[in-house]
Amino acid sequence: MTMTERTRASRTLLRGSTWISGFAFLRSWWRAPAAVGLPLTSSPWTARRLAKAVLEAGRSDGPIVELGAGTGAVTGALLALGCLPQDVVVVERDAELCRVLKKRFHGLQVLHGDALHLGGLLRDVGIASVRAVLSGLPMRAIPAELAARCYAQAFELMPDGGAIIQYTYGLRAPVDPTASEHRFKASFVGREWRNFPPMGIWKYRPLQ
Ligand SMILES: C[S@@+](CC[C@H](N)C(=O)[O-])C[C@H]1O[C@@H](n2cnc3c(N)ncnc32)[C@H](O)[C@@H]1O
């Protein structure tokens, strides 16, 4: 097979897998719309910007943890920026999306479970420290106290500092940094307009 034929074949394969994963996303949304959020994947521009933000935010050793990976738009961007599959752990609650992720990214650790119980999920697979967390969880649909507890568990795994990068279609910080006993600092990173709808990116750090 020539180089051009190989490129064409891999493009067809990629287009095929994008369609298949797109259907998987729609099916998941149909089953549980509130849990999945909008059934739209992040655009390539958003995915790349998020991946860069989380890589820059990490301070300690350990994997990058992605919460609510969906069909893997942002996971793919992390790998494209040079992350090895074994340096990324994704947590996804939907079983079908977990299957899509495992099939799409060989060697990636996919944890099927509720990211609101992040500490326990990671402990169960022997992960005691993480570099940074990227969250695509629909936080505005989750009670503030539960969302804050999820963040608190993530920060416990980043004792030397670190951050949570959270994306949202909303205009305000998706997790109120003062809503619970766990206090955080939220800073707005920017809005990616080449996304439908435009995507807000936030960075959270614990208040010292
Ligand atoms: C809006 S989608 C983000 C998809 C993908 N990251 C992207 O940017 O295209 C949100 C994802 O979070 C997952 N999710 C929602 N609540 C969750 C939870 N508590 N634990 C784990 N995954 C969850 C949904 O199943 C869905 O795949």
Side-chain angles (χ1 to χ4, degrees), residues 25 28-29 32 34-43 46-47 50 66-75 91-95 97 101 111-117 121 134-139 142 150 167 169 195 199:
F25 209 15
S28 307
W29 176 77
V36 171
L38 279 187
L40 302 166
T41 57
S42 294
S43 74
T46 304
L50 289 167
E66 185 187 355
L67 312 179
T71 54
V74 188
T75 322
V91 179
E92 173 53 60
R93 192 166 59 177
D94 186 278
L97 293 176
L101 289 162
L111 303 182
H112 177 210
D114 186 345
L116 298 182
H117 303 294
L121 280 178
L134 178 64
S135 166
L137 300 181
M139 285 307 197
I142 293 172
C150 170
Y167 47 107
Y169 298 125
N195 195 83
M199 188 73 91

Side-chain angles (χ1 to χ4, degrees), residues 21-91:
S21 46
F23 276 127
F25 209 15
L26 277 176
R27 272 200 303 270
S28 307
W29 176 77
W30 191 255
R31 281 194 299 271
V36 171
L38 279 187
L40 302 166
T41 57
S42 294
S43 74
W45 297 281
T46 304
R48 191 178 157 81
R49 198 161 161 187
L50 289 167
K52 277 178 123 172
V54 76
L55 287 171
E56 281 164 17
R59 288 185 187 159
S60 35
D61 288 337
I64 300 279
V65 176
E66 185 187 355
L67 312 179
T71 54
V74 188
T75 322
L78 276 169
L79 301 186
L81 284 177
C83 265
L84 297 174
Q86 57 268 33
D87 295 334
V88 182
V89 175
V90 303
V91 179

Side-chain angles (χ1 to χ4, degrees), residues 152-174:
Q153 293 170 61
F155 286 128
E156 269 174 29
L157 296 158
M158 298 182 255
D160 301 331
I164 298 171
I165 302 293
Q166 172 78 50
Y167 47 107
T168 176
Y169 298 125
L171 295 177
R172 281 183 302 183

